[in-house]
Structure formats: C-alpha cells, structure tokens
Amino acid sequence: MIDRMYGRSRYVRRPVRGLPVVALVLGSLFLPPAQPVEAARARPLPLEQHYDNTGVADEARPDPAGLDGSGASLSARDLAAAGWTPGRVLTVQGARLTWPRRPPGAPDNVRAAGQDVLLAGRGDALAFLATSTGGDPAGGPGTVTYADGSRSSYLLSAPDWRRGGLATKAVALPHVSTPAGRLAERARLYVVTVPLVPGRPVASVRLPDAPDLHVFSLAVRAARTGWTGSWAAPTSGQPPVGPWTDRTLRLVVHASAGGPRVQVRFDNAFASTPVRLGGATVALRAGGAAARGTPVPLTFAGAAGAELPAGGQAVSDPLAFTVPAGADLLVSFHLPGTVTAVPSHWLAVRRSYLSGPGDHTADADGTAYGATLTGWPLLTGVDVGGGPGSVVLLGDSITDGQGSTTDADRRWPDVLAARLRRQHEVPRYGVLNQGIAGNRVVTDRYPGDGVSTVTTGVSALHRLDRDVFAQTSVRTLIVFEGINDLLAGTTAERLTAGLREIAERARLRGLRVLGTTLAPCGGLARCTPAVEAGRTAVNDWIRRSGLFDGVIDADLALRDPAAPGRLLPAYDSGDHLHPGDAGYAALADSVDLRLL
C-alpha cells in the first residue's frame, strides 16, 4: 500500500510481505536468513589446504591439465605485470583478499565441491576471489556457519574466465597460457560478494558443489563501524592522460559529514597495470591550490606510499585530522613514475590541480600547481571517524551535477548534504554522490576494461557492488537513473526490470531504498513522444509499484506546471535536460529528510 502526503510529495512504502528473497547479483544469488545447524560436519580446513587445481602456469613447464582441465591457464608473467604476485594482499571492493602464496605450477585454487573452509571474521559480506571454466557461469548454493552455531545460506555464481563480462571483473589479463604458447585472449578473475548476518562472527564456509567454479581466495569483508562516508566519486572510465611523469595531483573535494579522523581511498579499477603513489597528504583548503596550514602526510600500512595493483585499492591508515562538516579538502598525491592513462571520474564540476615535476604533496602554497584538472583521477573516497553513516545517491549526469556552477558545490547531493547539516530532526548522514554523466541502468557504455575516451561508466547494475555495497557505513540508497536508457531506445519494461533488480539487491544487503522519478526532458531533440511515453510509464511504476521504501518525486519538483513534459524554465540549465543551480536546489529541498 502507498500513502501519499500532499504538500511535500511524500510517498512511503509500507512493509510488503512476499518480496522475493532471492535476487540475481552479478551472477550471484543470495539467501540470507540464518538457520540452525542440522548435523556435525567434518572439521573445516583453511582454503589453501583444499587446493586441488593449478590455475597459474609455469610457462617453462606448463601443466597439461591447467585451470580448465585442457591445459589452458592464467599467465604468471601477466599476473606479475598486473601486480598480482604470490602472497600479496589485494583490496578489491573493500575486501582484503590474499592472492595464493604458491609458485607458478603449484595447486593454487579450489574446484568447489562442497568443501568446508575454516574462516574467521565479522563483517557485512563474504568475498570470493573466483572464476569459472566450462564456458558458462558456474556456482550453486553454499552455507556460512557462525561462531554461535547458526547458519545462513547463499547462492554463488562466477562468470567464465574467457567469456565472462569485463564490466564486473576484478582484473583481466592479456593472455591465456597453453602448452602450445600464449593466446592473445583476455583471462578474467572476479570478486563476488554475498551478504552475511550482521554482527555474527563467521566460523566456516561450505563451498557450493560446482566443479567448474574455481575459488582462489576467500575473506570476510570487515564492516566499517565507527566511520562515515563523507565524500565519494565513482570511477567512470580510464581515459588517456599526459603522459604524467613525476607529477603531483592536488584534488579538491567537498566533505559532507565531519569528524575527528580521516581515511582516504584510491582505486585502480578497470586498469591492467599497477600505479605507484609516492606519497600523499590531506589538508584543509584555503583557496585555489593553497592549503590552510601544512598538509598532513597520509600513510598506507605504515608506509609513506603505496602501489595499487590492477583492479585494486589502497586505503590510507586512520589519521587524527579534524574534518569540519561542509569543508573543502585538498588530497595531494605524487605519481613518481610515468602514467599514460588513469582510472578517473571525469565530470567533477570542480577544478583540481596538477603540478610541474616533483613531489609537492607537502607544499602549503599552490605555486607549484600550474595546471588544472576537471576530473578526479584515482581518488574515490574520503571517510571520517564517527557519525551516523551515509546515504548513497546512484545516478547519472543530473546527480553528477552537470549544468551546475563549477566550484560552487551546487549539485543536488551537495544541497541535500547542506540541509542535513542544518537540521536536528534526523541524523546528519554523510552524502555520497555516485552519479556518472551519461550513465545507464542496464547498458555498459564504457566496456569496463582498458584505456578509452568513453567515460560514461559501466551500467548501474554492474557498478552496484563497488559504488554502493562497498561504500562506508551505507544506510540508504537513493536511485535516480534511467533517462539515458530511454533516450537510447531502451523500453520502459526493461528499465523498470533493471530498477527492480537494483532495489531487491540493495534490500538483501539491509539497505533502505528510495526511488526517484525521472525529470522532464521536453525541448531536447532526442526527447521524442516515445521517450516521453516511456518516462511517464516508468514514473507511474516508481510511484505505484510499492517496491521502494519511499519515493522522491523529481518529476513533480522540477516540471513546468503549464507544460509538464518540460523543466520549469527557471530550473532549466538551458539544455532542457539538466537543471541549473535553482533546479538542483528545488530537487534537494523537495526531499522529506525523514525518508532517509
């Protein structure tokens, strides 16, 4: 049942019984309810004691069986070039996974056959570093046993190592190794997560009975308790740059929530080679590229710098540094090597800075920073200590802030964050903007691999795990996306199916989910009567489906009452698709904060 409260256009979904408890997630199906243990099992063993397959080839002495049973394997040389070396701890989607500490040619993965794996930890998800052979995704049901004896079930599936999608892979290697030589064919590895019962320490995991599923590593992703996401930007592609050699980047970010400690996150998503951070600092911004005081060094596992492997992350150590709510921060990092392409968020609506040669991370003044940047390379998150958690806005260019004033922080997520800071009715959540200009719900525009001038991101469905579930202390997801799908010819039925999948997957992760109606686009040449009919149908479904915990009515907030298919002229940035500053403020002001 849906209640409508006029005046603020509030839609609230009452609890709906009978929602599906199984949802497709990047090839994974999750069954989260805990169950009692039925019978005693054989003693679980660590994953490496179950290794029964050799997935990485010693190319001088290739295994005649190999990863797939027919002699084809992963290339040790390619793995090393990607930074995936034996025993290395890799952080992917917030999970710390150890690449097998085995030399090439030794067993290094498990063919899943119902093995019981000893595993300890408490967190929000179980992360599998896996792939499959056989041509199709492989997997099946498994079980998590907790320290208190209770259990929860999951259904896991990983794509094929040679045919699976690139948009969701953790890393893609340029070759497949065979006894006859290397094939110029991309080999994929995936990180797939499944939710855990919150707060319960894990004791062991039973793998599915699916011999074509290969598990290389397994870990509990620790919940980020005691932290709030304050700022985030999704990676939208890997464009060519520079090349930059021995340069320092000084990126300007606007904190939503404040706190007495800070952590900074960098991500080398979509890349095929590592990138080295020679050093990094954080500072409050005085103006331009100038810091207020001396920038404070960040460390990574106690070291001044860090190497980000292909597809991996680096998270700085907790730093006692007070971040005022609503403040501008300068995050500076030195790239000592040569960088020709870098994973980036391309539309920052904010100027950042690039230095001449040298490490200028400690500079308080901005004189070394002679060039400006219009995106955010490598930097994907800033977290602050304490706080109530965060709200994530998953969207396209309207959420990304296209059409708003550069350097003014007038995107609608910024205005929403400012409203939260000024009030006392609800917690002052951090607001994480995960909008990507040009993004679609059901179609990858950027293919998810390699250097490309296309920077419109993989689909919302394919980035949900990284850009929402792996974010810090997420409480609520706001979904505001779909107009680009309709403008590209996607049917309303396919779009609503994609939105339904996002909502159901998020709810299985314990998130509150708000849907947002699609804003008018009349006057835009591509906004044909067919597009308007689709938009109307999608909006009617969002309002009436009962799928969401609440609805934000962007259509009602932004449309011209005299011409409902168009933006109100005072809200139009001029292109008839994106609001300007006044429109973004009106949209943020229309949100009933109690929905969050």
Side-chain angles (χ1 to χ4, degrees):
M1 181 180 294
I2 299 174
D3 295 332
R4 177 167 182 171
M5 299 176 63
Y6 292 89
R8 292 191 68 85
S9 180
R10 181 186 182 209
Y11 297 81
V12 180
R13 186 186 66 83
R14 292 177 177 170
V16 177
R17 297 185 178 182
L19 280 177
V21 296
V22 179
L24 180 64
V25 183
L26 297 184
S28 302
L29 296 165
F30 303 149
L31 292 169
Q35 305 163 6
V37 176
E38 295 174 355
R41 298 175 178 171
R43 182 171 62 89
L45 299 173
L47 183 70
E48 57 269 22
Q49 294 188 30
H50 290 291
Y51 285 164
D52 58 5
N53 177 261
T54 300
V56 181
D58 178 347
E59 291 171 285
R61 295 184 299 276
D63 188 322
L67 179 68
D68 66 353
S70 300
S73 299
L74 304 170
S75 164
R77 193 184 315 168
D78 288 348
L79 283 162
W84 290 52
T85 51
R88 181 167 189 176
V89 176
L90 307 158
T91 302
V92 183
Q93 294 184 24
R96 289 171 57 83
L97 293 146
T98 302
W99 185 245
R101 195 181 302 273
R102 297 295 177 93
D108 51 26
N109 71 91
V110 177
R111 298 188 69 167
Q115 298 94 334
D116 286 313
V117 178
L118 185 67
L119 186 68
R122 189 195 308 258
D124 66 349
L126 193 63
F128 296 81
L129 176 50
T131 197
S132 69
T133 55
D136 296 315
T143 306
V144 179
T145 299
Y146 300 91
D148 63 2
S150 63
R151 292 188 297 142
S152 64
S153 299
Y154 66 88
L155 282 167
L156 173 71
S157 178
D160 183 74
W161 73 304
R162 296 169 78 168
R163 299 182 186 178
L166 289 167
T168 57
K169 54 88 171 103
V171 68
L173 308 174
H175 304 99
V176 169
S177 179
T178 74
R182 302 169 109 201
L183 303 178
E185 182 180 333
R186 300 187 78 70
R188 292 95 155 152
L189 292 166
Y190 297 86
V191 170
V192 183
T193 66
V194 299
L196 294 169
V197 176
R200 296 188 190 176
V202 173
S204 66
V205 176
R206 174 165 286 186
L207 300 180
D209 187 3
D212 283 340
L213 174 66
H214 298 255
V215 180
F216 289 83
S217 187
L218 179 61
V220 174
R221 183 172 69 193
R224 298 274 291 145
T225 55
W227 293 87
T228 287
S230 180
W231 176 89
T235 303
S236 60
Q238 189 185 189
V241 297
W244 297 333
T245 301
D246 186 26
R247 297 299 180 93
T248 303
L249 281 66
R250 177 159 283 183
L251 306 186
V252 181
V253 303
H254 189 67
S256 59
R261 295 173 295 149
V262 69
Q263 279 191 303
V264 177
R265 185 168 59 254
F266 299 89
D267 201 323
N268 201 22
F270 306 135
S272 59
T273 57
V275 63
R276 179 74 190 173
L277 303 181
T281 61
V282 64
L284 296 178
R285 178 172 176 253
R292 191 190 310 170
T294 303
V296 181
L298 297 167
T299 59
F300 302 84
E307 184 185 75
L308 283 71
Q313 298 172 309
V315 181
S316 68
D317 300 326
L319 174 68
F321 179 92
T322 298
V323 177
D328 281 351
L329 301 178
L330 299 177
V331 178
S332 306
F333 54 96
H334 179 225
L335 300 176
T338 297
V339 176
T340 58
V342 63
S344 300
H345 181 90
W346 79 271
L347 180 68
V349 200
R350 159 68 70 183
R351 285 176 294 179
S352 290
Y353 303 94
L354 176 70
S355 80
D359 182 352
H360 297 280
T361 56
D363 292 8
D365 63 52
T367 56
Y369 295 92
T372 57
L373 302 171
T374 58
W376 287 304
L378 290 171
L379 183 67
T380 57
V382 175
D383 301 333
V384 295
S390 59
V391 176
V392 172
L393 282 69
L394 183 69
D396 50 31
S397 54
I398 294 179
T399 298
D400 212 0
Q402 188 166 339
S404 67
T405 300
T406 299
D407 294 336
D409 300 310
R410 293 179 180 171
R411 313 164 194 84
W412 83 271
D414 298 321
V415 182
L416 179 63
R419 283 190 64 204
L420 283 166
R421 292 194 296 270
R422 292 193 302 265
Q423 56 79 52
H424 301 279
E425 184 179 9
V426 302
R428 296 178 180 180
Y429 300 111
V431 176
L432 303 182
N433 186 338
Q434 297 287 5
I436 295 178
N439 200 233
R440 297 178 189 169
V441 173
V442 299
T443 306
D444 299 322
R445 300 193 69 184
Y446 171 64
D449 186 66
V451 179
S452 175
T453 56
V454 177
T455 52
T456 45
V458 301
S459 70
L461 286 168
H462 285 159
R463 64 189 182 96
L464 191 60
D465 279 13
R466 181 180 62 251
D467 293 347
V468 179
F469 302 151
Q471 296 300 307
T472 300
S473 301
V474 180
R475 303 290 187 264
T476 300
L477 167 63
I478 299 174
V479 184
F480 184 17
E481 192 158 355
I483 193 64
N484 289 324
D485 297 75
L486 296 177
L487 289 170
T490 301
T491 65
E493 293 76 14
R494 188 178 177 211
L495 174 55
T496 54
L499 294 172
R500 176 180 291 278
E501 183 179 328
I502 288 173
E504 291 179 347
R505 285 169 57 183
R507 189 162 293 114
L508 287 173
R509 299 294 177 122
L511 301 184
R512 183 171 177 80
V513 188
L514 307 181
T516 306
T517 57
L518 305 183
C521 60
L524 181 72
R526 294 179 294 137
C527 192
T528 63
V531 169
E532 177 61 16
R535 188 183 74 88
T536 300
V538 170
N539 285 349
D540 184 64
W541 176 84
I542 290 171
R543 293 179 179 119
R544 300 179 184 277
S545 66
L547 181 66
F548 300 99
D549 296 293
V551 172
I552 298 169
D553 204 331
D555 173 47
L556 184 60
L558 296 173
R559 71 192 183 196
D560 183 349
R566 290 175 174 260
L567 293 170
L568 188 71
Y571 294 162
D572 193 339
S573 68
D575 65 6
H576 310 304
L577 178 63
H578 302 97
D581 292 349
Y584 286 129
L587 175 55
D589 287 343
S590 75
V591 178
D592 186 335
L593 298 182
R594 292 170 294 177
L595 293 177
L596 303 178

